[in-house]
Amino acid sequence: MAQKEEREPLLTNDHSGGSQYVEQCSIGPDELPPPYTQLSDSGGCSTLITCRVCQSMIDISGKREQHVVKCNNCNEATPIRTAPPGKKYVRCPCNCLLICKASSQRIACPRSDCKRIINLSPSPVATALPITPGMCRVTCAYCRDSFLFNTLNNALARCPHCRKVSSVGPEFAQSRAIAFLIVSVACLIVAIGVTCGTWSYANHSPGIYAVYVGAFIITILLTVRAVYYCTMKVSVIECPA
């Protein structure tokens, strides 16, 4: 992967004083990371992606903090995370992966056997998202990478990059925390009421102690769940579809 200034001359002078033509080409949409594939075997669970050049499978276990990985088969780079803010990935026809400014319109391949001038099409920001109700682009609260999520699912979001779970917007986590807290308080009141009302019968019916223990365990589990939602990190919605 390489980067080079946009203001690259389309004609370069050779040593004889003449001019040498530099090939030009046009590139369409930006290159995006391929989807992950989970593979379980006797040695554990591996995370694989498909090489964008030769389609070989690349094991990226332990490499998720990197932005790109190199294929052992073709020695070309494939992105595994979205480009840093303000940047984008572009693949030259020679298969060299480059990174440039998101606003770049022309870049030059740095490979000595290529040197193409690449004219870039505008990034399809508005059309990148599928036309699906509730679909939006989200920035993960943990790794700061972007991914697509449907807010109508009424569920927590699991980042495809770091695999961690977060709430998309604070409303979901807050509503769940309040709900679990209300239920836990209600269970606590019931548990205390049952304990006080049947304590005199407990010596004659030992099974009642199991009811006491079960009621208080349920109360504790609900309280822990409420605290889990209260302390959950919140991912930010970048742009709704």
Side-chain angles (χ1 to χ4, degrees), residues 48-76:
L48 307 176
I49 63 167
T50 303
C51 174
R52 289 294 198 189
V53 178
C54 67
Q55 308 306 312
S56 299
M57 300 305 294
I58 307 174
D59 187 356
I60 63 170
S61 302
K63 300 178 182 179
R64 291 183 180 176
E65 296 302 318
Q66 302 176 199
H67 278 81
V68 300
V69 291
K70 190 175 182 180
C71 176
N72 293 327
N73 184 48
C74 65
N75 292 323
E76 297 291 353

Side-chain angles (χ1 to χ4, degrees), residues 208-219:
I208 295 180
Y209 289 110
V211 176
Y212 299 160
V213 173
F216 284 104
I217 287 178
I218 292 175
T219 301

Side-chain angles (χ1 to χ4, degrees), residues 36 38 64-65 138-145 147 149 156-168 228 232-235:
Y36 291 0
Q38 297 291 338
R64 291 183 180 176
E65 296 302 318
V138 175
T139 299
C140 177
Y142 293 92
C143 66
R144 313 309 301 175
D145 268 338
F147 62 96
F149 179 76
L156 297 176
R158 181 179 294 276
C159 176
H161 308 286
C162 65
R163 308 302 299 171
K164 293 183 179 179
V165 176
S166 62
S167 172
V168 177
Y228 168 73
M232 175 174 291
K233 287 192 175 184
V234 177
S235 294

Side-chain angles (χ1 to χ4, degrees), residues 11-185:
L11 295 176
T12 57
N13 294 328
D14 57 19
H15 297 291
S16 61
S19 60
Q20 181 180 359
Y21 178 72
V22 179
E23 182 179 354
Q24 299 184 59
C25 63
S26 297
I27 300 294
D30 313 334
E31 176 151 337
L32 299 176
Y36 291 0
T37 301
Q38 297 291 338
L39 179 63
S40 299
D41 51 28
S42 58
C45 184
S46 300
T47 304
L48 307 176
I49 63 167
T50 303
C51 174
R52 289 294 198 189
V53 178
C54 67
Q55 308 306 312
S56 299
M57 300 305 294
I58 307 174
D59 187 356
I60 63 170
S61 302
K63 300 178 182 179
R64 291 183 180 176
E65 296 302 318
Q66 302 176 199
H67 278 81
V68 300
V69 291
K70 190 175 182 180
C71 176
N72 293 327
N73 184 48
C74 65
N75 292 323
E76 297 291 353
T78 293
I80 60 174
R81 298 176 62 183
T82 54
K87 304 288 185 179
K88 64 180 177 181
Y89 297 116
V90 176
R91 190 174 296 278
C92 178
C94 72
N95 292 325
C96 179
L97 183 68
L98 305 99
I99 184 171
C100 63
K101 294 180 181 180
S103 59
S104 297
Q105 297 182 354
R106 190 182 66 175
I107 59 175
C109 178
R111 287 185 173 174
S112 58
D113 57 346
C114 180
K115 296 295 184 180
R116 284 184 176 90
I117 298 299
I118 304 173
N119 298 311
L120 305 178
S121 301
S123 299
V125 176
T127 59
L129 297 176
I131 305 176
T132 304
M135 188 66 70
C136 60
R137 190 180 299 279
V138 175
T139 299
C140 177
Y142 293 92
C143 66
R144 313 309 301 175
D145 268 338
S146 298
F147 62 96
L148 296 180
F149 179 76
N150 194 329
T151 55
L152 300 182
N153 289 340
N154 196 28
L156 297 176
R158 181 179 294 276
C159 176
H161 308 286
C162 65
R163 308 302 299 171
K164 293 183 179 179
V165 176
S166 62
S167 172
V168 177
E171 294 81 9
F172 180 83
Q174 289 176 358
S175 61
R176 287 299 178 92
I178 293 173
F180 276 104
L181 186 60
I182 292 174
V183 175
S184 65
V185 171

Side-chain angles (χ1 to χ4, degrees), residues 192-215:
I192 294 175
V194 171
T195 302
C196 294
T198 60
W199 185 256
S200 58
Y201 304 100
N203 293 331
H204 306 288
S205 302
I208 295 180
Y209 289 110
V211 176
Y212 299 160
V213 173

